[in-house]
Amino acid sequence: MDHAFKNPRATFVAAIAAIAAVLSPGAASAQDYPNKPITWIAPSSAGGGFDIISRLIAPKLSEILGQSVVVQNIEGAGATIGAAVAAEAAPDGYTILLANANHTVGMSLYKDLKYDVVESFDPIIRFAEIYQVFIANPDLEAKTLGEFVALAKEKPGELNAAHAGVGSPTHICLELLKLQAGIDFVEIPYAGGGQALTSVVSGETDMECALYSASKPFIEDGKVRALAMTSKERTSFAPDIPTAAETIPDFVFLGWFGALVPKGTPEPVRAKIGAAIKAAIADPTIKQRIIDLGMSPIDDGPEAFAAYLKKEVEDSRTLVEKADIQPQ
């Protein structure tokens, strides 16, 4: 005998629940997603680090998801303008923000942000760590990071260093060096990493904490000297370059890239986006290109990425306060 007829109320409740599950926004959007082009926001100008990694990944995501993934460059205010646009987008999975350390540091550097990187977004995946390297003009008498630290102590405030703008990873790396090494030097901000690097090559500035990927050809051509990598250990692609930690114990500074979506995006949609990005990064050609660009592919899922963001915001706030960097 069919027991459902013995309890018609239970049958009715179960039927309503099943219908609700099918008709719920999350379920419907996950089943249909994606059914139109997806906007991938690269919060920088064309040609920068955000743009390069975006245009590497977007075509593969289009292939995996079966819809166009369109890269939209929105530059300005240390990548925060693009993030603000993303935060205000509909939480439907059709807007993805490429995020990095600018967004966690920016929480302490900008007074009138229109978003909170922790509260305004759902984390999807942190997929790459970015290596940086201390470089110096070859004519500088300091040939190692240890010698640069010694020279800075001997001539406080006389040496200078370039960076890619207030709040950029190249800037924060220099502030960390000042604090941990107990030295002082003049910081010279530029409009971007390319200009900062050019200033070191020309001798306009003495040194920079640059992206390894950008400085690699100049290191190989002898136009700049590599003083130290900021990674935890020596890298397989540049084993002859010592780490900063070999001179300054515990000094580690790694940039990163990750994907965020507006807060409230349905979990099934977030899961589909995360799986697609993970698959794209695992593609052998893309993975090797990421490594060639001086990055390390990683796989921090939503929970690990969320915890990382919160810690980065707090650590950045502490560093900004200690370095006495005034919010803009």
Side-chain angles (χ1 to χ4, degrees), residues 78-103:
T80 62
I81 293 178
V85 171
E88 294 174 0
D92 55 10
Y94 290 96
T95 301
I96 303 171
L97 172 69
L98 178 62
N100 80 348
N102 286 59
H103 298 110

Side-chain angles (χ1 to χ4, degrees), residues 197-198 201 214-225:
L197 177 56
T198 299
V201 173
S215 55
K216 178 182 177 182
F218 297 95
I219 294 171
E220 292 175 343
D221 290 344
K223 294 180 179 179
V224 297
R225 177 181 290 109

